[in-house]
Amino acid sequence: MRDVGINKVHVIGTLLNEFKYSNKFIVNKFYDTKKICSEELFFENQIKIGTNNNESTINILINKRLLSTLSKGDKVNIYGQIRSRYIDDNNHKKMLFYIYVLDIHTSKDEKDTNTVELEGCITSNSIYKITNCNGAVYSSILKIHRYYQKTDYIPIVAWGINATVLSKLEEGTKIKILGEIRSREYKTIKDNFKSTKIAYEVSVLSIEKIL
């Protein structure tokens, strides 16, 4: 049996758009000998979070039953999990990265909040380097198992001593991290055409190796 890792997110921020339909999930339940099918509808939006001189815009996914009267411009308090899944985008794999909402309510006077707690295993995608601007930088993908045989792959990034510590850990090492969920823009050039893309990651603030 696979160990289910910790995946907790708490954010407070502002809804940027009205909610729009994303997808549906068919739920099959059995009562005695009867099979009953039902649909769970999911809607998407974006939340803007400003903390520690950093402003991030993160995608969120929510069950329709939690929507209530929420709308664009509302400040909301969200508890959830980071989720990732791959889709086919013009014959290329594209990773969708979002907060899966478990609980949400409006927030009036609370400050923006951005806290993440994850527990998972380091993969083989780790990169460690020393740069002139930021010093030591480490990036990797954290693999986190969840229920129903699902797995999330969460990009993480660390700087300074945290980067150096992580660089010394082997693939498959189980760690617990505390951090913040962030978005950042970066430039790409393909066929002499410049474009701006957005990357999503968890910025590591502290690390604990799980024995």
Side-chain angles (χ1 to χ4, degrees):
M1 183 177 177
R2 304 189 312 172
D3 290 333
V4 176
I6 294 173
N7 187 336
K8 298 179 180 179
V9 177
H10 176 212
V11 295
I12 298 175
T14 304
L15 294 175
L16 292 181
N17 310 295
E18 298 296 343
F19 282 95
K20 66 178 182 179
Y21 173 77
S22 172
N23 62 286
K24 64 182 177 181
F25 181 73
I26 306 299
V27 180
N28 296 318
K29 296 181 179 180
F30 293 87
Y31 294 94
D32 295 327
T33 58
K34 293 183 178 180
K35 180 180 178 181
I36 299 177
C37 298
S38 62
E39 290 185 347
E40 293 287 353
L41 302 180
F42 292 90
F43 286 71
E44 60 187 40
N45 205 329
Q46 290 183 311
I47 182 173
K48 182 175 69 174
I49 312 161
T51 58
N52 299 325
N53 297 318
N54 178 271
E55 185 175 278
S56 292
T57 299
I58 309 298
N59 301 313
I60 65 173
L61 186 71
I62 184 171
N63 191 302
K64 181 182 179 181
R65 290 186 290 170
L66 295 178
L67 278 182
S68 185
T69 58
L70 298 172
S71 60
K72 179 180 178 180
D74 285 345
K75 192 161 190 178
V76 291
N77 190 328
I78 292 174
Y79 290 89
Q81 297 179 328
I82 300 177
R83 295 283 176 86
S84 67
R85 61 187 176 93
Y86 287 91
I87 62 171
D88 182 73
D89 183 24
N90 293 325
N91 296 320
H92 291 88
K93 277 190 174 182
K94 177 182 178 180
M95 187 180 76
L96 299 181
F97 183 95
Y98 55 92
I99 296 175
Y100 179 74
V101 178
L102 298 175
D103 186 28
I104 185 170
H105 57 268
T106 55
S107 173
K108 293 184 179 180
D109 301 322
E110 297 173 290
K111 294 181 180 180
D112 282 14
T113 297
N114 188 341
T115 60
V116 176
E117 180 181 355
L118 303 176
E119 181 184 283
C121 296
I122 295 172
T123 67
S124 60
N125 302 82
S126 303
I127 298 174
Y128 176 71
K129 57 185 177 181
I130 305 295
T131 69
N132 292 330
C133 297
N134 298 317
V137 180
Y138 173 93
S139 62
S140 187
I141 304 292
L142 198 66
K143 180 171 68 175
I144 306 175
H145 295 310
R146 54 182 163 98
Y147 293 107
Y148 307 113
Q149 300 298 308
K150 301 290 186 180
T151 301
D152 291 299
Y153 295 89
I154 311 300
I156 63 172
V157 62
W159 292 269
I161 187 64
N162 284 334
T164 303
V165 170
L166 283 169
S167 71
K168 299 182 184 301
L169 301 179
E170 297 180 352
E171 176 186 349
T173 301
K174 192 172 185 179
I175 60 172
K176 178 180 178 180
I177 66 172
L178 299 179
E180 296 182 341
I181 185 171
R182 291 186 178 178
S183 65
R184 59 178 175 83
E185 293 186 349
Y186 66 98
K187 306 292 185 180
T188 64
I189 301 178
K190 185 177 181 181
D191 298 329
N192 294 321
F193 179 76
K194 296 181 180 180
S195 63
T196 300
K197 295 187 177 182
I198 300 177
Y200 301 95
E201 59 203 9
V202 171
S203 176
V204 177
L205 301 179
S206 68
I207 314 156
E208 178 185 348
K209 182 179 178 181
I210 307 298
L211 301 178

